[in-house]
Amino acid sequence: MTTNHHAAAATDAASAPVGIFDSGLGGLSVLRAVRAQLPNEALLYAADSAHAPYGPRDNAFIIERTLTVGEWLVSEGVKVLVVACNTATAGSIAVLRDQLPIPVIGVEPGIKPAALQSKTRVAGVLATQATLGSERFRQLLARHAADCQFICQPGHGLVDAIERCDIDSPEVIALLTRYIEPMLEAGADTLVLGCTHYPFLDAAIRRIAGDRLALVDTSVAIARQLERVLDTNGLHAPTFATPAALRLCSTNEGTHLRQLVSALLGLELPVERIVAKPCSPAPPRPPEAA
Ligand code: DGL
């Protein structure tokens, strides 16, 4: 290959989109931060909404789904994959890094920043059952909790509600109240939003807790991490790519994805259907705990 060909191939790779993946709509909180931090980057958002929530599922299911969508994103030409889902990261990041030929960035609950900032030394963590039960989460606490006590609460029912674009119904407020009040009673001054769906509950949490809880959301840190990975791999999009393209894709019909993107980003975009190899055999979904 000549020097010119090398340069052209490098520009092509850098012009490719960044893939952002979530079990559903939660990764849009990360996409919002990425767009603010890296406005030149074309983005391809993939929601596995037909299979959300992942939280009550077992690891085999989560690995199968994230690999299926991850491979599909690679086949669509993404240059880097952001797994914008704490649950998928906890269950499958090692497999994804092993199997996919591109850099893979994961997300994890902000235990470290919470332990650094809590004054009362009591903090709450709201995350999915799968995230809280994972070995990665256990290690995260062991590494960073220090002398801070973490009250870990699975957010049963919250992802389902957000997938329906319900962020403030009486049912959602009642669930959140049930999860958050014991944290407040125990003296928590900080709440880790350990699921990328939960930043959309920010206003509802404020209604319950006022300013008694500082909310820890890691989406800005993930955008910065993506910037570092693009730097290290020489994959920053050329600046002439502005305004960068945004493609939305989903495993379901995408009505709520379209709605949330419109509300969040003010963009009216179509949603493409993801046609990937079906998840087989799909294990039955266990009943959700109360
Ligand atoms: N956004 C996912 C996370 O960060 C939601 C998980 C789910 O689908 O239950 O954990």
Side-chain angles (χ1 to χ4, degrees), residues 22-23 26-27 52-56 84-87 128 131 159 194-197:
D22 182 46
S23 61
Y54 286 179
C85 176
N86 293 264
T87 310
T128 69
T131 298
V159 168
C195 167
T196 53
H197 281 72

Short mmCIF file of all heavy atoms in Angstrom, two decimals, residues 22-23 26-27 52-56 84-87 128 131 159 194-197, ligand 1:
data_model
loop_
_atom_site.label_atom_id
_atom_site.label_comp_id
_atom_site.label_asym_id
_atom_site.label_seq_id
_atom_site.Cartn_x
_atom_site.Cartn_y
_atom_site.Cartn_z
N ASP A 22 -27.11 0.00 24.40
CA ASP A 22 -27.74 -0.23 25.71
C ASP A 22 -28.85 -1.27 25.52
O ASP A 22 -29.32 -1.50 24.39
CB ASP A 22 -28.31 1.07 26.26
CG ASP A 22 -28.95 0.87 27.65
OD1 ASP A 22 -28.32 0.21 28.50
OD2 ASP A 22 -30.08 1.33 27.86
N SER A 23 -29.28 -1.84 26.63
CA SER A 23 -30.43 -2.75 26.57
C SER A 23 -31.65 -2.02 26.05
O SER A 23 -32.59 -2.65 25.56
CB SER A 23 -30.73 -3.29 27.97
OG SER A 23 -31.05 -2.21 28.83
N GLY A 26 -31.65 3.75 28.04
CA GLY A 26 -30.78 4.37 29.05
C GLY A 26 -29.50 4.94 28.47
O GLY A 26 -29.04 6.00 28.91
N GLY A 27 -28.94 4.29 27.47
CA GLY A 27 -27.69 4.76 26.88
C GLY A 27 -27.81 6.13 26.26
O GLY A 27 -26.80 6.78 25.96
N ALA A 52 -35.23 -5.67 26.65
CA ALA A 52 -35.04 -4.95 27.92
C ALA A 52 -36.20 -5.30 28.87
O ALA A 52 -37.30 -5.57 28.40
CB ALA A 52 -35.01 -3.44 27.67
N PRO A 53 -35.97 -5.27 30.17
CA PRO A 53 -34.69 -4.98 30.83
C PRO A 53 -33.80 -6.23 30.96
O PRO A 53 -34.30 -7.34 31.03
CB PRO A 53 -35.13 -4.50 32.21
CG PRO A 53 -36.42 -5.20 32.47
CD PRO A 53 -37.08 -5.40 31.14
N TYR A 54 -32.49 -5.97 30.99
CA TYR A 54 -31.53 -7.06 31.20
C TYR A 54 -31.39 -7.38 32.69
O TYR A 54 -30.94 -8.46 33.05
CB TYR A 54 -30.13 -6.65 30.71
CG TYR A 54 -29.92 -6.62 29.21
CD1 TYR A 54 -28.67 -6.24 28.70
CD2 TYR A 54 -30.91 -6.98 28.30
CE1 TYR A 54 -28.42 -6.22 27.34
CE2 TYR A 54 -30.68 -6.94 26.93
CZ TYR A 54 -29.42 -6.56 26.45
OH TYR A 54 -29.17 -6.53 25.11
N GLY A 55 -31.73 -6.39 33.54
CA GLY A 55 -31.46 -6.51 34.98
C GLY A 55 -31.89 -7.81 35.63
O GLY A 55 -31.15 -8.40 36.40
N PRO A 56 -33.11 -8.32 35.33
CA PRO A 56 -33.52 -9.57 35.97
C PRO A 56 -33.02 -10.83 35.25
O PRO A 56 -33.36 -11.94 35.66
CB PRO A 56 -35.06 -9.51 35.90
CG PRO A 56 -35.41 -8.17 35.34
CD PRO A 56 -34.21 -7.68 34.63
N ALA A 84 -23.04 1.30 26.87
CA ALA A 84 -23.59 2.33 27.75
C ALA A 84 -24.63 1.72 28.69
O ALA A 84 -25.73 2.24 28.85
CB ALA A 84 -24.18 3.45 26.92
N CYS A 85 -24.25 0.61 29.30
CA CYS A 85 -25.17 -0.16 30.14
C CYS A 85 -24.34 -0.82 31.24
O CYS A 85 -23.43 -1.61 30.94
CB CYS A 85 -25.86 -1.22 29.27
SG CYS A 85 -26.95 -2.32 30.18
N ASN A 86 -24.63 -0.46 32.46
CA ASN A 86 -23.89 -1.04 33.60
C ASN A 86 -24.10 -2.54 33.67
O ASN A 86 -23.18 -3.30 33.98
CB ASN A 86 -24.36 -0.41 34.91
CG ASN A 86 -24.00 1.06 35.01
OD1 ASN A 86 -22.99 1.40 35.61
ND2 ASN A 86 -24.81 1.92 34.43
N THR A 87 -25.32 -2.98 33.39
CA THR A 87 -25.66 -4.40 33.52
C THR A 87 -24.92 -5.21 32.47
O THR A 87 -24.34 -6.27 32.77
CB THR A 87 -27.19 -4.56 33.34
OG1 THR A 87 -27.84 -3.63 34.20
CG2 THR A 87 -27.63 -5.96 33.68
N THR A 128 -29.31 -2.18 38.76
CA THR A 128 -30.12 -3.38 38.53
C THR A 128 -29.63 -4.51 39.43
O THR A 128 -28.48 -4.51 39.90
CB THR A 128 -30.06 -3.83 37.06
OG1 THR A 128 -28.75 -4.32 36.78
CG2 THR A 128 -30.43 -2.72 36.10
N THR A 131 -26.44 -6.04 38.06
CA THR A 131 -25.22 -5.25 38.35
C THR A 131 -24.81 -5.44 39.80
O THR A 131 -23.64 -5.74 40.10
CB THR A 131 -25.48 -3.75 38.07
OG1 THR A 131 -25.78 -3.58 36.69
CG2 THR A 131 -24.27 -2.90 38.43
N VAL A 159 -36.52 0.42 35.11
CA VAL A 159 -36.16 0.36 33.68
C VAL A 159 -37.40 0.12 32.82
O VAL A 159 -37.59 0.78 31.79
CB VAL A 159 -35.07 -0.72 33.42
CG1 VAL A 159 -34.89 -0.98 31.93
CG2 VAL A 159 -33.74 -0.29 34.04
N GLY A 194 -26.58 3.92 39.30
CA GLY A 194 -25.77 2.83 38.74
C GLY A 194 -26.40 2.14 37.55
O GLY A 194 -26.12 0.96 37.30
N CYS A 195 -27.24 2.84 36.84
CA CYS A 195 -27.89 2.31 35.65
C CYS A 195 -28.10 3.51 34.74
O CYS A 195 -28.55 4.57 35.21
CB CYS A 195 -29.23 1.67 36.03
SG CYS A 195 -30.30 1.30 34.63
N THR A 196 -27.76 3.37 33.47
CA THR A 196 -27.80 4.54 32.58
C THR A 196 -29.22 5.02 32.30
O THR A 196 -29.41 6.12 31.78
CB THR A 196 -27.06 4.24 31.26
OG1 THR A 196 -27.60 3.04 30.70
CG2 THR A 196 -25.58 4.08 31.49
N HIS A 197 -30.23 4.22 32.64
CA HIS A 197 -31.61 4.70 32.53
C HIS A 197 -31.94 5.76 33.61
O HIS A 197 -32.81 6.59 33.40
CB HIS A 197 -32.60 3.54 32.71
CG HIS A 197 -32.78 2.67 31.50
ND1 HIS A 197 -31.83 1.79 31.06
CD2 HIS A 197 -33.84 2.54 30.65
CE1 HIS A 197 -32.29 1.13 30.00
NE2 HIS A 197 -33.51 1.57 29.72
N1 DGL B 1 -29.21 0.89 31.19
C1 DGL B 1 -28.98 -0.40 31.78
C2 DGL B 1 -27.92 -0.28 32.88
O1 DGL B 1 -27.17 0.67 32.87
C3 DGL B 1 -30.30 -0.98 32.14
C4 DGL B 1 -30.27 -2.41 32.47
C5 DGL B 1 -31.53 -3.19 32.21
O2 DGL B 1 -31.87 -3.35 31.03
O3 DGL B 1 -32.11 -3.69 33.18
O4 DGL B 1 -27.79 -1.11 33.74
#
